[in-house]
Amino acid sequence: MNNYQILFYHSGRTAHAEQAISDNLERAGLTMLESDVSVTPQELARQLSGVLSHTDLVFVVGGLDGGIQSTDNVLSSVLSKNADEIVSSKLIDKDGNTAYLMQCKRQTIVLLPDDPETIEKMMDARINSELKRIYELKFEENTKPSFDEVSKELDSKLSSRTRVRSIPDPEQTPLKKRKREQMKVLSRMRIAAIALLSIGCAELIIAVTLLITNMS
């Protein structure tokens, strides 16, 4: 057994759930054949029947709400004719999340909640060990960060980073500085011109006036 399929039933987080399962099972060398979506109990029953005709491992994600049309009730009804051969286990993790594992000889159906983080935790904590036992699988060490770890790291980085928008001071731009220095020089020159005028230095006054005019 080296492949599996996924069926989604009343599931809204299909892409993330599929990724959580595939990331986990690829460590055991398993390949997903395909995934499909069911909306009604009839669709789920029909798709499950077709899938079990060519694969031994099926994951059904979503619909574990305890209602009449919940996944576990639908499958119990569908598989009732083989009830004597089915071994059903209810798996509960330390946080109270629930999954189911239904086994009939070499075929296994795993029912999972519609939550990628919970799927990841339950696969590591409970389901992988059951699959190891049933199919003699070997899982490589998980080196990928979990959903929680990625989320916490991102939150930590965002909260510790101080965002300050830098707005240049118009009074500190090179053009403003240059104009301000020119005004200072002109002011000094005008003062000098007045002083020179008072002592009758006509030639110097003309020179200074021309310099002031050119700089303006």
Side-chain angles (χ1 to χ4, degrees):
M1 195 277 298
N2 59 3
N3 53 56
Y4 63 94
Q5 289 196 209
I6 302 176
L7 296 178
F8 294 101
Y9 176 66
H10 294 179
S11 175
R13 304 181 67 184
T14 56
H16 291 89
E18 182 176 309
Q19 190 66 48
I21 296 172
S22 61
D23 283 350
N24 198 289
L25 294 184
E26 70 180 12
R27 296 192 288 117
L30 301 185
T31 303
M32 186 183 74
L33 293 178
E34 60 181 4
S35 61
D36 211 338
V37 177
S38 301
V39 177
T40 66
Q42 293 77 15
E43 285 182 328
L44 178 59
R46 183 172 63 253
Q47 290 179 352
L48 183 63
S49 177
V51 167
L52 289 174
S53 67
H54 59 268
T55 188
D56 288 340
L57 179 59
V58 182
F59 291 85
V60 183
V61 178
L64 293 177
D65 54 11
I68 297 176
Q69 295 187 349
S70 67
T71 311
D72 50 321
N73 287 335
V74 172
L75 295 193
S76 295
S77 177
V78 171
L79 302 173
S80 59
K81 61 180 180 180
N82 298 319
D84 294 339
E85 301 176 1
I86 296 175
V87 177
S88 180
S89 303
K90 185 176 182 179
L91 309 178
I92 303 176
D93 68 8
K94 62 180 182 180
D95 297 320
N97 299 304
T98 301
Y100 295 87
L101 190 146
M102 298 180 175
Q103 184 185 359
C104 182
K105 298 180 181 179
R106 290 282 295 177
Q107 289 191 312
T108 305
I109 304 172
V110 182
L111 313 185
L112 294 169
D114 183 29
D115 183 78
E117 292 85 355
T118 300
I119 289 174
E120 188 178 67
K121 292 176 181 178
M122 296 200 75
M123 293 286 289
D124 285 334
R126 300 295 306 274
I127 295 170
N128 287 354
S129 60
E130 294 294 329
L131 297 180
K132 284 181 184 179
R133 176 182 60 82
I134 298 169
Y135 299 110
E136 299 179 352
L137 299 175
K138 294 182 179 180
F139 284 79
E140 296 178 355
E141 184 179 355
N142 187 5
T143 58
K144 293 184 178 181
S146 66
F147 283 96
D148 280 350
E149 289 172 337
V150 172
S151 179
K152 288 178 180 178
E153 182 178 358
L154 180 59
D155 289 343
S156 176
K157 288 182 177 179
L158 291 176
S159 62
S160 62
R161 183 177 299 171
T162 302
R163 292 182 173 84
V164 179
R165 184 178 179 183
S166 179
I167 302 175
D169 184 355
E171 295 301 321
Q172 299 301 320
T173 61
L175 180 60
K176 288 288 186 179
K177 287 183 177 179
R178 189 162 58 251
K179 287 185 177 181
R180 194 162 52 246
E181 292 299 324
Q182 288 177 352
M183 292 299 294
K184 289 180 180 179
V185 172
L186 291 174
S187 178
R188 293 192 187 105
M189 287 182 174
R190 287 190 177 99
I191 295 172
I194 294 171
L196 290 171
L197 180 61
S198 66
I199 61 176
C201 298
E203 293 180 358
L204 287 177
I205 293 171
I206 295 172
V208 171
T209 303
L210 290 174
L211 179 61
I212 292 173
T213 302
N214 291 332
M215 292 187 64
S216 303

